C-alpha cells in the first residue's frame, strides 16, 4: 500500500480560505457596530424631540437614550396616547412660521400652533418716533389652548404639543395649516389665512379622524388668555379704556366691568374683544358659543410701578362636536380700535368703541364722527378740532339765544315777582298762583331758559365720549401738545407727592388750565344773570350763593379731572367756552335790550291770553289746593 505524500498546494488553499473568512467576519462586525450606533442616535433624537412636546406631568414616562424605538414609543403612548405620533415627527421642535402683509406681522409657533407674536407695522407705541412698533402679542403674554379629553381618560393641552406647519399661497392669500397629528390621517388642524392689507385673519379649527380618539360626549374648552401691554404714554389713562367687549343675544354688545376679578357669562357669544384703548385683539365665531366664561382683572395697582401691563384677560369657550368632529370657522382681528376700520367689516365690531348710549351715541355716530372725519381729511387735526367746535357752537347758537332771552325776560320780571313775594308772604300757595298769572300775562315761560340748556347737555356729554375714542388723534401734535389723544404736559416731576400725585398726577397740562380759565369767565358772566332771573323761593336755598360757589368749583373740577385726559378734549372745551363767551357778548350787545323787553312785557299784559293745556292744568291744581286749604282752616 502506497503512503500518501504531504500536499503543499492544499495547505496554501486552506490558508487563503481562512484569511478570506476572517476578513469577511471582521467587516460584518464593523458594519453591525455602525448600524447599532446610527440606530441608537436616531432613537435618542426622536426621544429628545418627544420630551419637549410632552406636558410636564408626562416627562417622567420618557425613556433615556439607551432605550429602543419600540420601548420609547410605548412609553410615549402611555403619556400621550395616540398623539405620541406627533412627538416623533420632524416638526416636533421649537420653531415659528411667519405670516406678513402690509399692515401686520404674525408669528405662529409649532408648539401649541398659536400666535406668539402679533406686530402692527404702521403704529408706534408710547410716542411718535419712539422706534418701537405696537406689539399686541409677544414674550408669552398670550396663549391659545384647547383642552383635549381622550376616550382613555387623558387630559392633554394643545399648548404643550407640537403641530406640523404647512405654508402655501392661494392667489394673494397666505395659508398656514398647523396640524396636531394622532396618525397619518387623524389630526387637529388650525388653519390661518392672511389676506393682503388686512388686519382680519381667517382662522379655521377642525378635526379629522379623532372621533375614535377624543371623548366627544361633551364640549372641549378653548382657552384664550392675554395680558394687555401698555402702548400709550399714560398707563392710567389707557387702563381706563381697556376692557373686554362681547357680542351676544342677537347682536347686543356688552362689556365686562372693570376692576379686580370681574366675570361675565354670556349665553351665546359671537365675538370676544380684548380692547386696549386704541388697539384690540378680537376672536370672532361663525356660530354662537354657548356658556362662555369671560374674566378680567386690573393689573395696575400702583401706576408709578405697574407700567408694563394694563389688564389680564381670559376666556373659556366651549366648542361642541358635530358628528364626532370639531368644525369651526372663526376670525382673528389684530389691529387699531378705529371706528371706520371696524365699521368696514360689517360685523358689529364698531360697537366696542364707547360712544355712549342712546342719543349720545347717535350724536357721535351721525354728527361728530362724519363731521370731524371730513375736517380731518384735509386740515391738521388740531385745527380740525377748533373748526369742528366753531361749527357745533354756531349750530347751537339759536338755542343759546333763546336761553339768554329767557333769562333776560325773567330778570325784567324779577322786581314784580319780588313784590308778589312780599304781598303774599304768609300765603305761599296764593303767591304761586299770582306768579303764574304774571308769567301768563307777560308772555314769559319760566321753563324756556331750562329747555335750551337741556338740549345742549347731550352734545356736551357726547364730546366726552367722542374725543377719548377718536383714534385719529393718536400721536397727532398741535402747538405744545405732541399727542392730542394724551395729556399735554408742560411741567413734569418724578417725585411722588402725597394726595397731589394721586389726585392731580405728576405733571401739569396746559390746555386744561386754559379751559378752566375760560369756564371761570363764562360762569362769572352768566351766573349773575341766572341768579337774578330766578326768584328766591321761601324755604329754598339762595341761588345767588350757589351760583357764586359754582364760579370757583367748576374751574377747579376742570383742572383736577382733565389734567390726565387727552389734550384734544381739553382743547375742545377751551375753544367751546371761548366761543360761548363771544356769542353771549354779541347777543347781549346786539340782540337783547332790557328796555325793549320790558316794554314788550307790559304790552303783553294788556293783551288777552289763552291758557295752554299745561298752564290750565297748573292753575286748576293750585285752585284745588287752595280750596282744600281753606276748607281745612274752616274746620279748625
Amino acid at each position: 500500500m502506497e503512503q500518501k505524500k504531504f500536499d503543499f498546494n492544499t495547505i496554501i488553499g486552506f490558508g487563503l480560505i481562512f484569511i478570506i473568512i476572517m476578513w469577511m467576519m471582521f467587516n460584518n462586525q464593523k458594519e453591525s457596530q455602525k448600524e447599532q450606533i446610527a440606530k441608537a442616535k436616531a432613537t435618542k433624537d426622536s426621544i429628545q424631540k418627544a420630551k419637549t412636546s410632552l406636558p410636564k406631568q408626562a416627562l417622567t414616562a420618557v425613556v433615556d437614550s439607551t432605550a429602543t424605538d419600540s420601548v420609547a414609543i410605548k412609553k410615549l403612548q402611555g403619556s400621550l396616547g395616540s398623539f405620541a405620533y406627533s412627538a416623533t415627527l420632524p416638526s416636533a421642535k421649537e420653531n415659528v412660521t411667519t405670516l406678513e402683509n402690509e399692515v401686520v406681522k404674525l408669528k405662529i409657533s409649532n408648539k401649541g400652533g398659536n400666535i406668539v407674536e402679533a406686530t402692527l407695522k404702521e403704529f408706534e407705541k408710547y410716542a411718535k418716533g419712539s422706534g418701537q412698533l405696537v406689539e399686541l402679542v409677544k414674550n408669552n403674554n398670550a396663549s391659545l389652548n384647547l383642552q383635549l379629553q381622550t376616550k382613555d381618560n387623558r387630559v392633554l393641552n394643545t399648548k404643550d404639543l407640537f403641530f406640523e406647519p404647512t405654508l402655501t399661497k392661494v392667489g394673494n392669500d397666505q395659508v398656514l395649516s398647523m396640524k396636531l397629528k394622532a396618525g397619518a390621517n387623524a389630526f387637529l388642524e388650525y388653519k390661518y389665512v392672511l389676506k393682503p392689507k388686512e388686519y382680519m385673519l381667517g382662522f379655521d379649527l377642525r378635526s379629522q379622524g379623532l372621533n375614535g380618539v377624543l371623548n366627544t360626549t361633551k364640549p372641549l374648552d378653548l382657552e384664550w388668555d392675554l395680558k394687555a401691554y401698555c402702548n400709550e404714554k399714560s398707563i392710567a389713562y389707557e387702563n381706563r379704556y381697556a376692557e373686554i367687549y362681547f357680542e351676544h343675544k342677537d347682536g347686543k354688545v356688552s362689556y365686562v366691568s372693570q376692576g379686580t376679578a370681574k366675570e361675565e357669562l354670556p349665553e351665546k357669544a359671537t365675538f370676544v374683544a380684548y380692547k386696549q384703548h386704541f388697539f384690540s385683539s378680537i376672536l370672532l365665531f361663525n356660530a354662537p358659543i354657548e356658556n362662555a366664561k369671560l374674566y378680567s382683572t386690573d393689573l395696575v395697582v400702583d401706576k408709578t410701578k405697574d407700567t408694563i401691563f394694563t389688564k389680564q384677560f381670559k376666556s373659556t369657550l366651549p366648542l361642541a362636536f358635530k358628528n364626532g368632529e370639531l368644525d369651526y370657522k372663526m376670525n382673528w382681528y389684530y389691529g387699531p380700535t378705529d371706528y371706520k376700520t371696524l365699521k368696514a367689516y360689517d360685523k358689529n365690531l364698531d360697537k366696542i368703541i364707547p360712544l355712549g348710549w342712546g342719543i349720545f351715541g347717535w350724536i357721535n355716530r351721525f354728527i361728530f364722527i362724519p363731521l370731524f372725519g371730513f375736517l380731518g381729511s384735509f386740515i391738521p387735526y388740531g385745527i380740525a378740532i377748533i373748526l369742528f367746535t366753531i361749527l357745533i357752537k354756531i349750530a347751537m347758537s339759536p338755542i343759546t339765544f333763546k336761553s339768554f332771552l329767557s333769562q333776560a325776560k325773567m330778570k325784567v320780571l324779577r322786581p314784580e315777582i319780588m313784590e308778589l313775594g312780599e304781598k303774599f308772604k304768609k300765603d305761599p300757595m296764593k303767591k304761586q298762583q299770582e306768579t303764574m298769572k304774571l308769567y301768563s300775562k307777560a308772555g314769559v315761560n319760566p321753563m324756556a331758559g331750562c329747555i335750551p340748556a337741556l338740549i345742549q347737555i347731550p352734545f356736551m356729554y357726547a364730546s366726552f365720549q367722542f374725543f377719548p375714542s377718536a383714534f385719529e388723534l393718536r400721536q397727532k401734535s398741535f402747538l405744545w401738545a405732541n399727542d392730542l389723544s394724551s395729556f399735554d404736559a408742560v411741567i413734569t416731576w418724578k417725585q411722588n407727592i402725597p394726595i397731589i400725585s394721586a389726585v392731580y398726577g405728576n405733571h401739569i397740562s396746559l390746555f386744561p388750565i386754559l379751559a378752566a380759565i375760560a369756564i371761570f369767565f363764562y360762569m362769572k358772566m352768566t351766573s349773575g344773570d341766572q341768579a337774578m332771573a330766578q326768584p328766591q323761593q321761601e324755604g329754598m336755598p339762595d341761588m345767588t350763593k350757589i351760583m357764586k360757589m359754582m364760579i370757583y368749583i367748576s374751574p377747579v373740577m376742570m383742572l383736577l379731572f382733565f389734567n390726565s385726559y387727552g389734550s384734544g378734549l381739553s382743547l375742545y372745551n377751551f375753544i367751546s367756552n371761548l366761543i360761548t363767551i363771544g356769542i353771549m357778548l354779541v347777543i347781549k350787545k346786539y340782540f337783547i335790550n332790557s328796555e325793549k323787553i320790558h316794554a314788550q312785557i307790559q304790552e303783553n299784559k294788556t293783551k288777552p291770553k289763552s291758557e295752554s293745556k299745561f298752564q290750565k292744568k297748573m292753575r286748576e291744581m293750585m285752585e284745588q289746593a287752595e280750596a282744600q286749604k281753606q276748607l281745612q282752616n274752616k274746620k279748625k
Side-chain angles (χ1 to χ4, degrees):
M1 183 176 176
E2 187 179 358
Q3 187 178 3
K4 187 177 181 181
K5 293 183 179 180
F6 190 76
D7 188 355
F8 283 99
N9 290 331
T10 301
I11 294 173
I12 293 171
F14 279 114
L16 290 173
I17 292 171
F18 177 77
I19 292 171
I20 291 171
I21 292 172
M22 293 299 293
W23 179 79
M24 291 175 65
M25 291 176 64
F26 175 78
N27 278 340
N28 287 338
Q29 185 178 9
K30 187 176 181 181
E31 289 297 325
S32 178
Q33 289 176 349
K34 286 182 179 179
E35 289 178 2
Q36 289 179 6
I37 292 171
K39 190 174 181 180
K41 186 177 184 301
T43 302
K44 180 179 179 180
D45 291 343
S46 65
I47 293 170
Q48 186 62 35
K49 291 175 183 176
K51 283 183 182 181
T52 60
S53 71
L54 289 173
K56 292 180 180 179
Q57 64 269 26
L59 289 177
T60 55
V62 180
V63 296
D64 61 26
S65 60
T66 62
T68 64
D69 282 337
S70 60
V71 175
I73 294 300
K74 285 181 179 179
K75 291 197 175 183
L76 285 174
Q77 288 175 339
S79 300
L80 299 179
S82 298
F83 290 101
Y85 181 88
S86 64
T88 60
L89 297 175
S91 58
K93 59 183 178 181
E94 294 279 1
N95 200 5
V96 296
T97 305
T98 301
L99 298 179
E100 184 174 6
N101 61 17
E102 296 83 354
V103 297
V104 65
K105 181 178 181 180
L106 305 169
K107 291 185 178 180
I108 295 91
S109 174
N110 287 9
K111 188 174 184 180
N114 61 313
I115 297 170
V116 292
E117 287 187 24
T119 305
L120 304 184
K121 299 167 66 175
E122 295 184 319
F123 306 104
E124 294 178 289
K125 64 194 310 183
Y126 305 133
K128 191 173 182 179
S130 67
Q132 301 180 60
L133 294 177
V134 170
E135 296 172 296
L136 300 182
V137 180
K138 68 170 184 176
N139 297 336
N140 299 317
N141 75 310
S143 69
L144 183 73
N145 179 59
L146 190 61
Q147 196 171 77
L148 305 177
Q149 300 177 13
T150 66
K151 287 192 172 182
D152 54 357
N153 296 321
R154 303 173 196 276
V155 177
L156 302 175
N157 294 299
T158 57
K159 65 181 180 180
D160 298 321
L161 306 176
F162 282 101
F163 287 64
E164 183 179 54
T166 303
L167 180 61
T168 57
K169 199 166 185 181
V170 180
N172 293 322
D173 301 345
Q174 301 168 61
V175 180
L176 175 62
S177 170
M178 304 291 291
K179 291 182 178 179
L180 173 63
K181 292 189 172 182
N185 296 310
F187 54 82
L188 171 71
E189 181 186 32
Y190 296 163
K191 186 168 75 172
Y192 300 90
V193 181
L194 182 63
K195 298 178 180 293
K197 300 180 182 179
E198 283 284 353
Y199 296 105
M200 189 73 76
L201 178 73
F203 178 62
D204 294 350
L205 188 156
R206 73 182 187 97
S207 66
Q208 178 178 302
L210 296 183
N211 54 348
V213 177
L214 299 178
N215 181 358
T216 60
T217 58
K218 57 182 179 179
L220 300 184
D221 286 337
L222 181 66
E223 299 164 343
W224 177 33
D225 299 350
L226 184 139
K227 290 174 70 176
Y229 279 110
C230 173
N231 291 305
E232 310 304 325
K233 183 166 65 174
S234 170
I235 191 168
Y237 189 55
E238 181 179 7
N239 194 40
R240 186 178 300 155
Y241 297 97
E243 51 199 335
I244 299 179
Y245 278 82
F246 56 94
E247 184 187 52
H248 65 122
K249 291 184 178 179
D250 300 324
K252 183 179 179 182
V253 176
S254 302
Y255 60 91
V256 179
S257 302
Q258 296 204 26
T260 303
K262 299 297 182 179
E263 188 176 277
E264 288 289 339
L265 303 171
E267 293 178 3
K268 294 183 178 181
T270 46
F271 74 67
V272 175
Y274 294 166
K275 179 177 173 292
Q276 300 172 228
H277 195 182
F278 287 126
F279 300 97
S280 294
S281 306
I282 309 174
L283 181 58
L284 304 93
F285 320 107
N286 68 323
I289 302 297
E290 299 282 354
N291 303 317
K293 181 179 179 181
L294 310 179
Y295 171 89
S296 172
T297 193
D298 197 342
L299 300 178
V300 181
V301 179
D302 185 346
K303 63 184 179 181
T304 62
K305 297 178 181 178
D306 304 322
T307 58
I308 298 177
F309 300 104
T310 56
K311 295 281 196 314
Q312 170 73 65
F313 299 135
K314 294 183 178 181
S315 297
T316 301
L317 308 162
L319 302 184
F321 287 90
K322 301 171 185 177
N323 300 320
E325 300 287 358
L326 295 172
D327 187 11
Y328 285 86
K329 293 187 180 297
M330 310 183 198
N331 290 95
W332 288 105
Y333 175 87
Y334 290 100
T337 312
D338 174 50
Y339 181 82
K340 291 181 180 178
T341 303
L342 295 174
K343 182 73 173 177
Y345 288 109
D346 195 25
K347 294 181 180 292
N348 218 22
L349 298 179
D350 55 289
K351 296 291 182 65
I352 73 171
I353 300 175
L355 296 176
W357 53 271
I359 189 173
F360 312 118
W362 299 341
I363 291 171
N364 277 323
R365 286 185 173 85
F366 302 117
I367 300 177
F368 283 10
I369 289 176
L371 177 60
F372 190 73
F374 170 73
L375 296 174
S377 65
F378 61 89
I379 57 176
Y381 280 100
I383 303 299
I385 291 175
I386 295 174
L387 184 55
F388 171 83
T389 311
I390 292 172
L391 293 175
I392 294 295
K393 298 306 290 186
I394 289 175
M396 300 292 290
S397 59
I399 298 174
T400 305
F401 173 75
K402 285 186 176 293
S403 179
F404 289 155
L405 181 61
S406 177
Q407 290 177 19
K409 289 180 178 180
M410 293 293 291
K411 185 178 179 181
V412 169
L413 282 179
R414 182 177 173 83
E416 296 183 51
I417 294 173
M418 292 182 68
E419 288 179 8
L420 292 174
E422 288 294 324
K423 184 177 179 180
F424 301 102
K425 188 174 183 179
K426 296 182 179 180
D427 192 348
M429 184 65 67
K430 186 68 174 176
K431 174 187 170 183
Q432 288 291 337
Q433 289 177 342
E434 294 300 321
T435 302
M436 291 298 292
K437 288 180 181 179
L438 176 63
Y439 287 150
S440 179
K441 287 180 180 180
V444 174
N445 184 354
M447 298 298 295
C450 300
I451 293 173
L454 291 174
I455 293 174
Q456 295 183 70
I457 287 176
F459 286 84
M460 181 185 67
Y461 182 79
S463 70
F464 283 96
Q465 298 291 106
F466 171 72
F467 284 100
S469 301
F471 184 84
E472 302 95 323
L473 298 181
R474 185 178 186 268
Q475 297 181 355
K476 299 298 189 300
S477 61
F478 179 67
L479 299 178
W480 57 85
N482 56 19
D483 187 349
L484 287 169
S485 71
S486 188
F487 56 80
D488 58 310
V490 291
I491 299 175
T492 59
W493 60 88
K494 294 183 179 179
Q495 295 79 8
N496 185 38
I497 303 174
I499 301 177
I500 293 178
S501 294
V503 176
Y504 189 67
N506 287 12
H507 64 274
I508 296 176
S509 298
L510 186 52
F511 275 131
I513 294 176
L514 296 176
I517 293 172
I519 200 173
F520 172 79
F521 282 105
Y522 165 72
M523 296 201 69
K524 188 79 172 174
M525 295 172 69
T526 59
S527 60
D529 290 343
Q530 291 174 355
M532 290 292 292
Q534 297 294 329
Q536 179 65 29
Q537 300 292 331
E538 186 177 348
M540 297 295 290
D542 190 345
M543 290 301 297
T544 304
K545 292 181 180 179
I546 293 176
M547 290 297 178
K548 285 182 178 179
M549 290 174 59
M550 291 303 297
I551 291 174
Y552 301 99
I553 292 174
S554 296
V556 172
M557 298 289 284
M558 175 71 71
L559 287 174
L560 291 178
F561 288 110
F562 283 80
N563 189 59
S564 296
Y565 266 71
S567 52
L569 179 59
S570 299
L571 173 61
Y572 171 81
N573 281 285
F574 170 54
I575 300 299
S576 178
N577 287 318
L578 280 184
I579 295 172
T580 304
I581 290 171
I583 291 174
M584 183 181 68
L585 291 174
V586 171
I587 290 173
K588 280 188 172 183
K589 185 173 183 179
Y590 296 104
F591 295 97
I592 294 180
N593 186 308
S594 297
E595 292 180 358
K596 289 183 178 180
I597 291 174
H598 184 269
Q600 183 65 48
I601 289 175
Q602 298 306 318
E603 183 182 347
N604 289 341
K605 289 180 181 179
T606 62
K607 297 178 181 179
K609 290 288 180 179
S610 59
E611 288 183 316
S612 66
K613 291 183 178 180
F614 175 77
Q615 289 174 329
K616 183 179 180 181
K617 187 69 175 176
M618 289 294 296
R619 179 178 58 77
E620 289 174 352
M621 289 174 62
M622 289 181 180
E623 289 175 352
Q624 289 175 4
E626 180 66 20
Q628 289 179 357
K629 183 178 178 182
Q630 291 177 359
L631 183 62
Q632 289 176 354
N633 290 335
K634 288 180 180 180
K635 290 181 178 180
K636 291 180 180 179

